Amino acid sequence: MGNVLVRDAVGKGTPFARTCAHTHAHEPGGRPDRPPATPGGRTDRGVNVTVKSTARARKKAAPGVPDKPSANPAEPQLVQLLTPEGVRVEHPDFPLTVAPEELRSLYRDLVLVRRFDAEATSLQRQGELGLWASLLGQEAAQVGSGRAMRPGDYAFPTYREHGVAWCRDVDPLNLLGMFRGVNNGGWDPNEKNFHLYTIVIGAQTLHATGYAMGITKDGADDAVIAYFGDGASSQGDVSEAFTFASVYNSPVVFFCQNNQWAISEPTTVQTRIPLYRRASGFGFPGVRVDGNDVLAVLAVTRWALDHARTGQGPVLVEAFTYRMGAHTTSDDPTRYRQSEETEAWKAKDPILRLKAHLEAEGLADEAFFAEVEAESEKLGLRVREGVRSMPDPDPTLIFEHAYSEPHPLVDEERAEYEAYAASFEGGEHH
């Protein structure tokens, strides 16, 4: 069983622990500082198993989770509040009241996140970035879930959560600086409650679970959300995180963006059942939501975070969406998927459906849309100019923060590098 990063419980609010929990999930009493876990719970006709809280009484069963499997296990069972045509619909388990100004704000988020993403892709093609992982098509999944978080909630992203970063007030130039190679992230995760990007597939789910375990020990009224993709759901780290979160009843939401493709591998060859149903095997609820519907994602994620923060344990949210672009700018999706598939998903575009709703209900006029477009132009210009004017970093910065305190070996290596670099000054390079 892998190590789980646990938030420091000594000082409330300290974001990262200095220790790791090495206890195996089948040895809940192995840690002397906590009582044995009580994984026993109830079952819902053998389909959904929920873990009883060790801190608070359980509330009603999870909404949106079917009592029995679909006759067709591959059939999407989506929670949807806004149809692809922009028609508002209701869901009995996920009511949502959204003021007109909030709807307009969500639309603005979607447009600006897409524009930033498009500029980043163009900059990589121009040689200004080393790599870029586009989120095109997944804006609603990220903005909806990002706006569902409270200030005290903590997000653990992969490397594609640019929309969530936007919602956590991370400057887009900090993200681009990392992909340009001039910083190691650029933002303070303690300030933003948004962890640095994780390139190792699935590893952040363990970090998120450990952090959530620390929240429980602190007695804080916060929750954690861990982002990962459908491909990462096949990783062992994710299964380990599910196990720990379930046994310790941790306040964590596992948010899977099922964009249908793990690079060139379709979801259909990775799982025999819809991904959200995997949660039942670990003892907590799973919900599948229309990942292109920003309102449904907002409602479901709010419910999931509240479910977690009130002592009812983890939730798996599967945002059923689509990666419209390449996996990264080093990928060519035309080699493994059909154009007809992409065209079909264009009709479900998250921005167009919200715009259609705003227009149909008279909640936004042409002046508003023109204002958002003008703002997106300003953002694009700032991104282009900002990236191209980024100074090269001091090469010795690579030796900083390798350890929390000075280390003699690092000091020795820094001195060797500085002497090597100095040997080129004032002379010819051979």
Side-chain angles (χ1 to χ4, degrees), residues 128-133 159 162 175-181 183 197:
E128 301 291 348
L129 302 178
L131 186 72
W132 185 249
Y159 47 80
H162 321 311
L175 290 176
L176 294 174
M178 180 181 66
F179 286 91
R180 188 175 172 86
N183 66 42
Y197 274 10

Side-chain angles (χ1 to χ4, degrees), residues 347-414:
K348 306 174 185 179
D349 185 276
I351 296 179
L352 294 181
R353 74 168 68 181
L354 183 54
K355 183 177 182 180
H357 177 68
L358 290 171
E359 291 176 331
E361 298 298 321
L363 302 176
D365 55 19
E366 287 304 318
F368 166 75
F369 294 120
E371 179 183 345
V372 173
E373 182 61 28
E375 189 175 359
S376 74
E377 289 292 333
K378 291 177 61 177
L379 175 62
L381 179 61
R382 184 170 80 86
V383 166
R384 291 193 301 274
E385 293 181 344
V387 167
R388 289 167 178 158
S389 62
M390 286 180 179
D392 292 336
D394 180 352
T396 61
L397 288 177
I398 196 173
F399 299 100
E400 299 297 329
H401 309 299
Y403 292 91
S404 60
E405 297 178 354
H407 191 283
L409 180 58
V410 174
D411 293 341
E412 179 184 344
E413 292 175 341
R414 179 190 294 107

